[in-house]
Amino acid sequence: ITAGPEEAGIRTAMTDWMRSQPGWISGLDLPLLAGVLAEAGLVISNSTGPLHLAAAVGTRALGIYCPLASCLARRWGPYGPGHRVLAPQVPVCRKCIGDKCRYWDCMASITVAQATDAALEMLGEGH
């Protein structure tokens, strides 16, 4: 899991509820991060620099995207073959209006099981 120095609180919270402890990567310069990502079998992320860097170095990427028009995977998704995107199956939004929206909290519709199944399929271990 990559994390910046300002995300220490998130790291602590995640570690508290995880059954097993992952490896954490923080503080790497861009060339070193690119090298680490080039060795990964798969990168799972929202639309972030590490996701795009992984795609650029040839590592498969599973991107998780929201339905906001300015954030759509068709514009910002990982470029190239072998990648996959998960997004809520809701209409495109111009602006999130929170709990006034019929599809409020639509990102919660992407389940851990969906992400796990997609990742396993991408790794050739689908069931």
Side-chain angles (χ1 to χ4, degrees), residues 19 44 62 64 84 86 107-122 125-127:
R19 283 184 265 177
I44 304 169
L62 173 57
I64 301 173
R84 202 160 156 194
L86 294 176
M107 293 302 290
S109 70
I110 301 171
T111 67
V112 171
Q114 286 174 311
T116 301
D117 288 347
L120 290 173
E121 286 174 18
M122 293 177 76
E125 300 171 13
H127 47 300

Side-chain angles (χ1 to χ4, degrees), residues 25-107:
I25 299 171
S26 185
L28 302 181
D29 63 20
L30 199 55
L32 190 52
L33 178 59
V36 168
L37 295 173
E39 295 299 317
L42 175 68
V43 170
I44 304 169
S45 179
N46 59 327
S47 182
T48 62
L51 176 91
H52 301 295
L53 187 56
V57 298
T59 299
R60 289 169 293 178
L62 173 57
I64 301 173
Y65 287 80
C66 73
L68 287 171
S70 60
C71 303
L72 295 176
R74 68 176 175 245
R75 179 176 185 185
W76 299 110
Y79 182 76
H83 309 299
R84 202 160 156 194
V85 168
L86 294 176
Q89 299 301 303
V90 299
V92 172
C93 304
R94 291 267 173 230
K95 176 181 159 189
C96 184
I97 57 172
D99 60 6
K100 294 179 180 111
C101 177
R102 174 180 174 187
Y103 305 102
W104 169 238
D105 204 16
C106 62
M107 293 302 290

